[in-house]
Amino acid sequence: MHDPGRGAPVAKVQFLNAYRYKRDTELMVATEGMYTAQFIYCGKKATLTIGNVLPLRGLPEGTIVCNVEAKVGDRGAFARGSGCFAVVISHDEDKGTTRLRLPSGGKKTVKSDVRAQIGVVAGGGRTDKPLLKAGRAYHKYAVKRNCWPKIRGVAKNPVEHPFGGGNHQHIGRPSTVSKAAPSGRKVGLIGARRTGRLRGVKKLGQDRD
């Protein structure tokens, strides 16, 4: 199923109700390889098959998962965008925690009881095709939120933006600003530790550990 404003497709799954003779229809993020009339199993006894949902403690290291919970029972927080996945790095049996590598490259420690879906989120490669024209960008963001088009601060008037005004489009002041600045002034590079070009080899999250 398509969900407006979301890059990834969603799957409509029917579960048998635990208490009454009926079925509950739930929507969940679809994983790559899911198909119509597929049986999805959720719980600690579920098998390690694409689309199934089970706690992290039952997954071997190196398993590719998506739609991972941050807290037990929050129904999914990490790796939910199209084509995203997280990797189970290690389990700490004593503390009851599991270490994950997130799509950003960063590492996160979560409780081993949190649930995750097996596989990669469907809809990967969505950003490979260029939007090409403003109309497509307009419709893309119209269903999301009011964040397009973005007007540069220097192109505005002084009443509208701290960087506005002047006879040439220039900032005219340092673009770095304090974290404690009041809203309205807080534009540009907020609380910057450093500025300028990033030079040298970029260290990824997995290289540092």
Side-chain angles (χ1 to χ4, degrees):
M1 269 178 69
H2 173 66
D3 183 14
R6 186 198 293 265
V10 291
K12 194 182 259 189
V13 185
Q14 280 195 332
F15 291 98
L16 291 172
N17 189 285
Y19 304 106
R20 290 191 176 80
Y21 178 68
K22 63 173 185 176
R23 290 187 175 177
D24 299 328
T25 304
E26 302 286 346
L27 291 177
M28 59 199 331
V29 174
T31 53
E32 222 164 87
M34 263 190 184
Y35 53 89
T36 310
Q38 180 184 353
F39 281 89
I40 302 288
Y41 297 97
C42 300
K44 59 177 85 168
K45 293 180 184 171
T47 55
L48 200 68
T49 314
I50 283 180
N52 284 359
V53 179
L54 54 163
L56 286 180
R57 69 166 68 251
L59 302 178
E61 291 168 10
T63 309
I64 287 176
V65 292
C66 63
N67 199 9
V68 189
E69 293 180 327
K71 298 184 180 72
V72 179
D74 73 1
R75 304 179 78 178
F78 306 126
R80 288 162 56 93
S82 53
C84 288
F85 63 90
V87 182
V88 178
I89 300 173
S90 60
H91 296 290
D92 190 336
E93 301 289 340
D94 304 330
K95 292 180 185 169
T97 58
T98 299
R99 203 151 165 72
L100 297 169
R101 184 181 305 134
L102 298 179
S104 61
K107 296 200 172 72
K108 189 149 190 82
T109 306
V110 292
K111 286 191 173 178
S112 296
D113 295 329
V114 303
R115 296 170 297 174
Q117 215 168 331
I118 310 295
V120 181
V121 181
R126 175 174 50 87
T127 53
D128 296 347
K129 182 184 173 186
L131 289 171
L132 286 179
K133 56 183 194 173
R136 288 196 187 138
Y138 168 81
H139 289 295
K140 175 186 173 179
Y141 291 107
V143 290
K144 285 178 180 284
R145 67 200 79 84
N146 182 21
C147 64
W148 187 90
K150 272 196 167 60
I151 302 170
R152 293 167 301 131
V154 290
K156 296 183 180 181
N157 295 317
V159 293
E160 292 149 1
H161 199 277
F163 296 164
N167 277 354
H168 302 282
Q169 285 193 4
H170 69 294
I171 295 178
R173 57 172 75 203
S175 59
T176 53
V177 62
S178 158
K179 274 186 185 172
S183 58
R185 173 68 189 93
K186 205 170 184 179
V187 292
L189 304 168
I190 298 165
R193 289 199 173 88
R194 68 179 299 285
T195 59
R197 279 174 54 207
L198 288 167
R199 308 191 64 163
V201 181
K202 188 180 177 189
K203 275 203 165 70
L204 291 170
Q206 60 241 38
D207 301 336
R208 280 200 286 272
D209 290 0

